[in-house]
Amino acid sequence: MSIKDEKFMEMALRLARRGISSVEPNPAVGTIIIKANQIIGRGWHKTFGGPHAEINALEDCRTLGVKPNGATMYVTLEPCSHQGKTGPCAEAIISAGIAKVFIAMTDPSEHANGRGIEQLRRADIEVHTGICEAQAKILNAPFVKFTTTGKCWVTLKWAQSIDGKVAWADGIDDRRWISNEQSRRDAHKLRRRVQAILVGINTVIADDPLLTARPNKGKKPARIVMDSFLRIPPDCRLLATVDESPVIIFTNHKSVKANPYLVEELSNKGVELLAYPDTGRSNLHFLLAELSNRGISQLLVEGGPTLLTSFLKENLADEIIVYIAPKILGSQSSVGITRPMAELSQAVDLHNVEVERFGDDVCFRGLTEKAIDEISSAPESNFEIYTVSEPVNE
């Protein structure tokens, strides 16, 4: 493998990122096809249930009128060899006459796990694995975690002012948002990435949110409310839209027993009540185990500050995303995030940090040490990581 090979794989990784928020819970995958040192096909997995990246790249070759026989393919994840929502990509690669395939990482799924690589090699295709493997694992970290551990990926997200405030003071109705419109659009993209969104009951009472992803693009993440004492307002928008997207109330089993009529009313509306037991185990651990057992691979926690801090205290966060608006709210704010987080006994370091501008807002994204450890412990190919600083012209 050469520096040139890594450049092509980096291009494939950038293509793969285009599928994020559209393909979940499937992984984001990108593919580049090279022949005579020219790119003859590009593709990425565009939507859940749609053609995979390899198929789209081969179709791109046909659109350009170039035959891919004898070409080299760079793909960010092992091509599938099983029949799922789409046909097996390994067979399509073999039929197309591809001569050489570079694969960033093995698919750790039970139905894959090297089978696609083996099928390609049996067809006398030269296969190299592990190039840009670390970057590929980071790109699909939630997928890697869920397929290797069976546990869902937890993302904490909030918006704040420069002075650490997360809400305007009561009564300032025309100033509901702290972040700007561009940041909120990105937050909705984040919602489309996950299968469940969690907030505390105080957020529901104060903001009456819908917690939907707009535009939804067919995705309807479950909306979960942490409501130990069943204080959810009967006229809130969540309860009025149960038919549009599931609502789960996570509560104490004592509250369920003490409020049979309310429980019946909520159940009749289609709300699911998930009661946690009175044990020494954290109720957050119980919630995450229950969600993981249901096949929910990504959970987005949107606050407020007490709930966000609880996840950090329990070391349950994998990813943290913070939108910082260029505002100092001072006394115009009713809620700050610094006081609850001051209770953390240990500092939280973030890794693989990305910084992005949305207008005047700044967004910080990073992975916790726990997440990095989990990704690193996933099965690896024998690989060598190259470092390339110069940009690749696409």
Side-chain angles (χ1 to χ4, degrees):
M1 290 181 283
S2 66
I3 296 298
K4 180 179 68 175
D5 293 323
E6 176 150 352
K7 288 182 179 180
F8 287 133
M9 187 63 78
E10 287 176 341
M11 292 171 64
L13 286 165
R14 286 198 287 274
L15 284 175
R17 292 179 70 92
R18 299 184 186 184
I20 292 177
S21 83
S22 298
V23 302
E24 290 81 3
N26 285 349
V29 183
T31 301
I32 293 283
I33 300 176
I34 305 295
K35 189 173 184 179
N37 291 319
Q38 298 294 319
I39 297 176
I40 62 169
R42 293 180 173 90
W44 67 95
H45 188 22
K46 296 180 180 180
T47 183
F48 178 76
H52 289 181
E54 301 94 317
I55 304 302
N56 287 330
L58 291 171
E59 180 61 32
D60 193 35
C61 293
R62 284 188 281 270
T63 300
L64 294 173
V66 181
K67 293 183 178 180
N69 59 300
T72 298
M73 174 179 285
Y74 296 82
V75 58
T76 59
L77 183 71
E78 173 190 355
C80 64
S81 60
H82 67 286
Q83 177 69 47
K85 291 182 179 296
T86 60
C89 293
E91 287 186 9
I93 294 169
I94 295 168
S95 297
I98 297 292
K100 185 187 298 185
V101 179
F102 286 89
I103 299 169
M105 65 171 285
T106 301
D107 185 340
S109 305
E110 185 178 357
H111 57 256
N113 201 21
R115 291 180 178 86
I117 294 171
E118 182 181 353
Q119 184 175 353
L120 295 176
R121 285 176 172 157
R122 284 202 309 264
D124 293 327
I125 294 176
E126 183 181 339
V127 179
H128 299 272
T129 63
I131 187 169
C132 296
E133 183 169 37
Q135 298 95 313
K137 283 185 175 182
I138 292 295
L139 174 70
N140 282 309
F143 171 77
V144 172
K145 177 182 178 179
F146 189 73
T147 52
T148 57
T149 69
K151 298 178 181 179
C152 74
W153 180 268
V154 178
T155 300
L156 308 186
K157 166 258 172 182
W158 69 90
Q160 68 171 64
S161 62
I162 292 175
D163 56 342
K165 307 297 184 179
V166 297
W168 290 91
D170 295 339
I172 307 181
D173 294 333
D174 61 332
R175 294 184 175 180
R176 183 173 182 181
W177 307 106
I178 287 180
S179 58
N180 63 25
E181 185 177 351
Q182 297 99 308
S183 293
R184 296 196 297 275
R185 279 201 299 267
D186 186 70
H188 278 284
K189 182 179 178 181
L190 179 61
R191 286 181 177 180
R192 291 196 298 272
R193 205 183 83 184
V194 305
Q195 293 82 54
I197 302 168
L198 174 66
V199 296
I201 184 58
N202 290 332
T203 297
V204 176
I205 292 173
D207 298 338
D208 192 18
L210 275 173
L211 301 180
T212 52
R214 299 184 291 277
N216 63 42
K217 296 186 178 180
K219 296 202 171 184
K220 298 180 179 180
R223 299 169 292 172
I224 308 172
V225 181
M226 179 78 75
D227 185 10
S228 296
F229 303 105
L230 291 178
R231 295 189 293 136
I232 191 164
D235 59 347
C236 71
R237 295 197 294 172
L238 284 175
L239 298 186
T241 56
V242 174
D243 292 340
E244 299 176 19
S245 186
V247 174
I248 300 172
I249 295 180
F250 188 53
T251 188
N252 191 307
H253 84 280
K254 290 183 178 179
S255 297
V256 172
K257 290 183 177 180
N259 299 278
Y261 296 110
L262 175 58
V263 168
E264 182 179 7
E265 179 183 350
L266 291 170
S267 297
N268 289 338
K269 289 184 176 182
V271 175
E272 178 185 354
L273 279 86
L274 177 60
Y276 58 85
D278 285 329
T279 66
R281 190 183 184 199
S282 164
N283 55 28
L284 293 182
H285 284 273
F286 177 86
L287 173 63
L288 294 181
E290 180 67 26
L291 295 180
S292 298
N293 289 337
R294 297 181 183 204
I296 292 176
S297 60
Q298 293 196 57
L299 171 69
L300 174 62
V301 183
E302 293 202 355
T306 301
L307 181 59
L308 292 164
T309 303
S310 296
F311 274 88
L312 292 173
K313 282 182 177 179
E314 298 283 345
N315 193 29
L316 295 174
D318 295 296
E319 181 180 17
I320 296 176
I321 300 176
V322 185
Y323 300 90
I324 301 179
K327 299 179 176 72
I328 299 175
L329 299 191
S331 63
Q332 295 297 299
S333 170
S334 59
V335 182
I337 200 164
T338 54
R339 180 173 294 179
M341 289 194 177
E343 299 175 4
L344 294 173
S345 59
Q346 294 185 348
V348 179
D349 291 328
L350 297 184
H351 306 270
N352 292 87
V353 174
E354 296 180 1
V355 181
E356 190 171 2
R357 288 278 299 270
F358 294 103
D360 290 332
D361 289 359
V362 178
C363 178
F364 289 86
R365 308 169 191 262
L367 306 184
T368 63
E369 184 124 3
K370 176 181 79 75
I372 294 295
D373 290 342
E374 288 170 336
I375 298 166
S376 300
S377 64
E380 296 181 350
S381 309
N382 293 320
F383 72 101
E384 179 181 357
I385 297 179
Y386 299 88
T387 300
V388 180
S389 58
E390 64 267 30
V392 177
N393 294 323
E394 300 180 27

